[in-house]
Amino acid sequence: MALFLSEEEVAKLLPMDECIDVLEEAFKHSSDGKTDIQPRSRIRMPNGFFHFMAASDAGHGVFGYKAYPSFAGPGGSKFLVMLYDYESGQLLACLESARLGQIRTGAASGLATKYMAQDNASTVGVIGSGFQARSQLEAICSVRDIKQAKVFSRREERRTDFAGRMSERLQIDIEPVSTSEECVFNSDIVVTITSAREPVFKGDSLKQGAHVNAAGSNHWMRAEIDEITISRSSLIVVDDLEQAKVECGDLLSAEARGTFRWDMAQELRDVIGGRISGRSSNDNITLFESMGVALEDIAAAQFVYHKAVEQGVGQQLPF
């Protein structure tokens, strides 16, 4: 029988540090040729979109998909992951996955930060203060000894609330600031996690040696990063090249203007697998463009599933 796991159960079974570890395993499997990733596809509906993405991971012995609508109005979105056994094709679990998606998106940035940021990075600038921004900062704090962070978003009350909540949660000093340039200035690590359609900071404000996690631009109409940031980056990494070519608005925009070519981008699996160094010099600026790929969802889902079975958590479904 298949297991159903609710949002609350998934969140309890997926701590950030363990999610980072399981994504690292999955991208090592990908480096070894043991995975297949099908990029996100979108079907336009009368009041929104239906999104579908799939992956297999022979290393973890699973395959599956994530599907979700994004509609205007009270219906909103309902994220589901369906997880199957790699050998038998048996349905293992159905997981509610809004929280899973939030955690794994943060974990992907944490994993990139582990390999690409300076070892002694201690300051973070976060642009965006929504629920996804929380897991971004938590993940970075899991892989680096962060002493101080700054946060900027357009609404003062939201950035102030974010600073207060996350400062208490992570036990670090977090300062809400009034401009994105102030947020980026002198930050060892910069995170952008917005739905912006125009760049949210100027690339010339990045300090030498900074690492940037750009995690919000997963649609060709979105753009958080300007061409100066791209041109200053010694290493540009994407979580999946095929998917990035479809929906990485930052790089698609730069390509259209002739300041970026796809052969300038590397894949995260090659960094994790050791084929490419994530940082060759402390002076390098590095950029991780995170689209969010199904491999991350499936890897996290199988980890949650196995813990749930061990702990007797979840509801058995009658099929």
mmCIF file of all heavy atoms in Angstrom, residues 24 170 250:
data_model
loop_
_atom_site.group_PDB
_atom_site.id
_atom_site.type_symbol
_atom_site.label_atom_id
_atom_site.label_comp_id
_atom_site.label_asym_id
_atom_site.label_seq_id
_atom_site.Cartn_x
_atom_site.Cartn_y
_atom_site.Cartn_z
ATOM 1 N N GLU A 24 22.971 16.438 -1.918
ATOM 2 C CA GLU A 24 24.366 16.201 -2.307
ATOM 3 C C GLU A 24 24.518 14.785 -2.847
ATOM 4 O O GLU A 24 25.174 14.560 -3.875
ATOM 5 C CB GLU A 24 25.290 16.432 -1.110
ATOM 6 C CG GLU A 24 26.759 16.359 -1.446
ATOM 7 C CD GLU A 24 27.646 16.819 -0.303
ATOM 8 O OE1 GLU A 24 27.167 16.854 0.849
ATOM 9 O OE2 GLU A 24 28.818 17.152 -0.562
ATOM 10 N N LEU A 170 17.563 31.667 14.103
ATOM 11 C CA LEU A 170 18.916 31.253 13.745
ATOM 12 C C LEU A 170 19.973 31.742 14.725
ATOM 13 O O LEU A 170 21.139 31.347 14.617
ATOM 14 C CB LEU A 170 19.251 31.746 12.334
ATOM 15 C CG LEU A 170 18.352 31.224 11.213
ATOM 16 C CD1 LEU A 170 18.701 31.902 9.898
ATOM 17 C CD2 LEU A 170 18.460 29.719 11.077
ATOM 18 N N ASP A 250 17.312 35.155 -16.079
ATOM 19 C CA ASP A 250 18.551 35.924 -15.960
ATOM 20 C C ASP A 250 19.491 35.644 -17.137
ATOM 21 O O ASP A 250 20.004 36.568 -17.776
ATOM 22 C CB ASP A 250 19.277 35.564 -14.654
ATOM 23 C CG ASP A 250 18.529 35.995 -13.418
ATOM 24 O OD1 ASP A 250 17.782 36.990 -13.495
ATOM 25 O OD2 ASP A 250 18.686 35.341 -12.373
#
